[in-house]
């Protein structure tokens, strides 16, 4: 079969937003009389204080809407929002109502306004769909808590006995919770009404104008044909809708063209961190998630990992992969690397020049630090705290990617991998760009044999390097802990 | 001030529906592809089995829509629906979402279709607003359960300590529940956001086309100005919207013209049962609710009660009162009266000829029995089980009321009350009708002095009676346990 992924993703750069923490604003004056309330008097935590596991900062979609200039100026043209549906949790992975945007975020009204504003800017918006489990307050599960075996919905979840104990951990829960967490009752995806319910949620928001779904713990839904049907129904409404699964490991079973367009590329993430941060990786910060940004890799090790990864899935999938260095589910790279800025700069260079869509986790671009949740979900800092050099590097790299189709859909060839110096080329039609990363502590040089590149690069488009051509070979010398793009 | 109540109510006859139990149907074929699912595979109880406290029968608004012919043929032109918003309880007084009609009922789509169909028939629809308390699954309360003191909504309810214990009755709840019921957390109506939230719910459904609100345990919301604001905002959108409070006792403080148009007239109900059922009243069935259909009344006692009641509120209020003989909150009159059909016939005659809008509790018209909840909420029976004579009497009485403006807005004068024989007249302009009820076990007669009535009635419009005129006086003889309308 012909595998087909959305074209726009191949040219996209995502900005991942954790909505409670990115920005907060009141709704536009024109909507002051609308039904959606601004809850300005709610019991929010201070924006500038560190986040807690259970507190809310009160960020909202009106805030996101007001920051579209910033995001666009950064160089991103797509948003991935972690969950926004009504939820009794600050991360909103405990869905309370799949048809309502959380009132704190501004409700459905705010999402529709955001979609309109984003589309006007030719930006795309992808939402997070949490379809493996719901929450204790979710109507269909809550009814079981309230009515026990009398509930009409007893078959919607995985009930194992009576009574249920949803809140008292000293008694058996008697139902299946995700990760044994009783706050996250797992759907019975084998029930036809559950399946249809989820399918219609998937369709509904596509009809409302979202551009795709990031599917939470997608690999855990194993009902036969589930994701095939989801894809078919979503694509029937918008053939360019993007479907990206949260699968951390080898995802070949999901990336056969009938299910997801892509996965969250933690395989890229892990290898890249292992190369650019190496022994700096704080092991206590990378032990929980199923990705392994260790042991430290040299250039050859990294090349092998990348070549394996690029061989794993069809090229049409690779071009639509959702590439990242960190997320709300990990510590931030800056913190993983023990505060080493160069690791972030090198990782970002590799991210933005890799096939597939790069995603910047909000705040990474200004050096917001963060260990595990809740620390990786700090509020976006005020301008005075920004690392402007890092921000500028992000902008230059995203500008280069945008201006050079080869960085988007060009093929990827490892050119050289010696010591800590890694060189690869991206080429498309007549265009070829060469990317060089020296992850070592010493200045390093590579000699590229004549013919290894289609043409001799002459310009340093990003970073600093000394180029010297001898007998048709090219010598590239780059400072320690730095990288460059040549064209 | 000029007290003003909706004109349509004065001419209305309500049919009260408990939506889980009245009728069930699938949605029209034309809407088959709409987002609202029919949950035909849900775990409903058998329609023909007795109801339980926690089980669902699966009645829905599509069923109500399909029965509009029946309701109209009965002679009712208004519906009062007990709660229909999403709720994890079969009675739906535990509101889970004030903006969503329960999915089992057919969702918002079904309500809008019902409103449209009802309005096309010139029928009105009043919903039940439960604004004193919500439920454990209600998003704003559920968030407090999930996040404790971190919740943005801690001030929305009446929290008294931590931790809360919502489901474990062996620990203190630590929040105020209605009637000490921890499944019904009471709102903090003093919080401006709570108040505004409720006001907007009130407005929203009026904008969607409902014709009024029946306000559950309305007397318990004592925040200053609350109901005045509610009235002002609802009436600003629809000056003819009907606002009827659930207040069982003397309601003068609420019926000052600035709050409710009416209350549920349990004072009428209690006196009328005490007269028509008398010593038949099963005392174990009338002890719980705050109404007292006892001790047995003779005609003079009943006349005194009725005259007191008619003196209690302004006439403009009387004409809009919500009159009833029973409801989902009481046992059914037939059962209260120990199965005595005559009590129901006499009560219904008094109900339908009383100033204010009569309300028939679904099934009463076909002699559906019922003790306390859940028994008073049985499913509507199949035709084979209907008491057709009782149904016919309802139809004739409602037809008479509809055809005689004096029975709607005419004044009410007690003419005679001797032994168990009660006579009153309703007159408007040139029209006067006389109603005679003999609640006694013997045939009885009354002699009406010349001049007591505006004109001598000559026709028996309902029931049977022998009339004899002597010297300008009128002698009316009616059989035991029967009543009539003369005109």
């Amino acid at each position: 079969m012909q595998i087909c992924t959305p074209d726009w993703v191949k040219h996209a750069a995502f900005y991942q937003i954790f909505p409670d923490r990115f920005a907060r604003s009141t709704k536009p004056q024109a909507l002051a009389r609308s039904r959606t309330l601004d809850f300005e008097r709610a019991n929010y935590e201070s924006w500038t204080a560190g986040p807690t596991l259970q507190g809310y900062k009160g960020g909202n979609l009106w805030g996101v809407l007001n920051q579209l200039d910033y995001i666009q100026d950064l160089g991103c043209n797509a948003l991935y929002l972690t969950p926004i549906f009504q939820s009794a949790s600050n991360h909103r992975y405990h869905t309370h109502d799949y048809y309502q945007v959380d009132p704190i975020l501004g409700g459905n009204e705010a999402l529709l306004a955001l979609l309109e504003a984003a589309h006007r800017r030719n930006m795309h918006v992808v939402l997070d769909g949490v379809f493996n489990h719901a929450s204790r307050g979710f109507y269909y599960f809550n009814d079981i808590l309230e009515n026990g075996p009398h509930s009409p919905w007893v078959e919607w979840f995985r009930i194992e006995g009576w009574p249920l104990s949803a809140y008292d951990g000293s008694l058996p829960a008697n139902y299946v919770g995700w990760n044994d967490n009783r706050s996250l009752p797992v759907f019975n995806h084998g029930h036809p009404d559950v399946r249809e319910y989820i399918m219609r949620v998937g369709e509904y928001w596509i009809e409302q104008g979202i551009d795709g779904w990031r599917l939470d713990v997608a690999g855990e839904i194993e009902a036969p044909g589930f994701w095939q049907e989801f894809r078919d129904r979503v694509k029937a409404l918008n053939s360019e809708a993007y479907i990206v699964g949260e699968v951390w490991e080898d995802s070949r079973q999901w990336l056969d063209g009938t299910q997801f367009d892509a996965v969250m590329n933690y395989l890229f993430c892990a290898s890249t961190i292992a190369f650019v941060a190496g022994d700096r990786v704080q092991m206590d910060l990378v032990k929980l998630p199923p990705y392994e940004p260790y042991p430290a890799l040299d250039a050859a090790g990294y090349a092998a990992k990348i070549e394996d990864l690029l061989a794993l899935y069809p090229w049409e999938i690779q071009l639509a992969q959702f590439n990242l260095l960190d997320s709300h589910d990990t510590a931030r790279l800056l913190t993983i690397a023990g505060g080493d800025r160069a690791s972030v700069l090198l990782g970002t260079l590799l991210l933005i020049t890799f096939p597939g869509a790069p995603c910047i986790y909000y705040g990474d671009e200004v050096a917001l630090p963060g260990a595990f949740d809740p620390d990786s979900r700090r509020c976006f800092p005020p301008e005075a705290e920004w690392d402007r050099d890092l921000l500028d590097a992000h902008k230059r790299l995203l500008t280069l990617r945008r201006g050079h189709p080869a960085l988007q859909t060009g093929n990827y060839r490892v050119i050289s991998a010696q010591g800590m110096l890694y060189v690869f080329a991206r080429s498309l039609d007549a265009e070829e760009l060469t990317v060089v990363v020296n992850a070592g502590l010493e200045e390093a040089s590579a000699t590229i044999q004549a013919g290894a590149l289609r043409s001799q690069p002459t310009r340093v488009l990003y970073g600093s390097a000394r180029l010297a051509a001898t007998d048709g070979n090219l010598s590239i010398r780059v400072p320690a802990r730095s990288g460059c793009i040549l064209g």
Side-chain angles (χ1 to χ4, degrees), chain A residues 109-126:
Chain A
E109 181 179 45
L111 176 64
L112 296 180
L114 175 61
L115 289 174
E116 195 200 334
H119 291 164
R120 222 184 299 123
R121 293 165 183 255
N122 204 25
M123 297 175 78
H124 292 82
V125 180
V126 170

Side-chain angles (χ1 to χ4, degrees), chain A residues 145-165:
Chain A
L145 288 189
E146 294 288 332
N147 295 303
H150 295 278
S151 173
W153 319 111
V154 284
E155 292 175 23
W156 277 46
F157 294 89
R158 305 184 185 191
I159 308 300
E160 298 175 329
W162 304 104
L164 306 189
S165 177

Side-chain angles (χ1 to χ4, degrees), chain A residues 127-150:
Chain A
L127 296 190
D128 206 321
V130 188
F131 299 133
N132 180 66
H133 46 259
S135 75
R136 291 180 281 220
F138 178 60
Y139 162 70
Y140 299 86
F141 185 78
N142 187 248
D143 193 276
I144 308 176
L145 288 189
E146 294 288 332
N147 295 303
H150 295 278

Side-chain angles (χ1 to χ4, degrees), chain A residues 289-343:
Chain A
Y291 79 128
E292 294 183 356
Y294 54 84
L297 294 173
D298 62 9
Y302 184 60
K305 290 276 192 184
I306 290 300
E307 289 184 323
D308 284 352
L309 177 57
L310 290 174
L312 203 58
Y313 314 124
W315 184 243
E316 177 73 10
I317 298 280
Q318 300 283 356
L319 291 178
Q321 280 282 75
F322 189 93
N323 300 327
L324 69 169
L325 295 171
D326 48 21
S327 74
H328 62 294
D329 278 330
T330 68
R332 290 182 184 267
L333 172 52
L334 179 63
T335 303
I336 289 174
D340 178 58
R341 285 178 73 252
S343 296

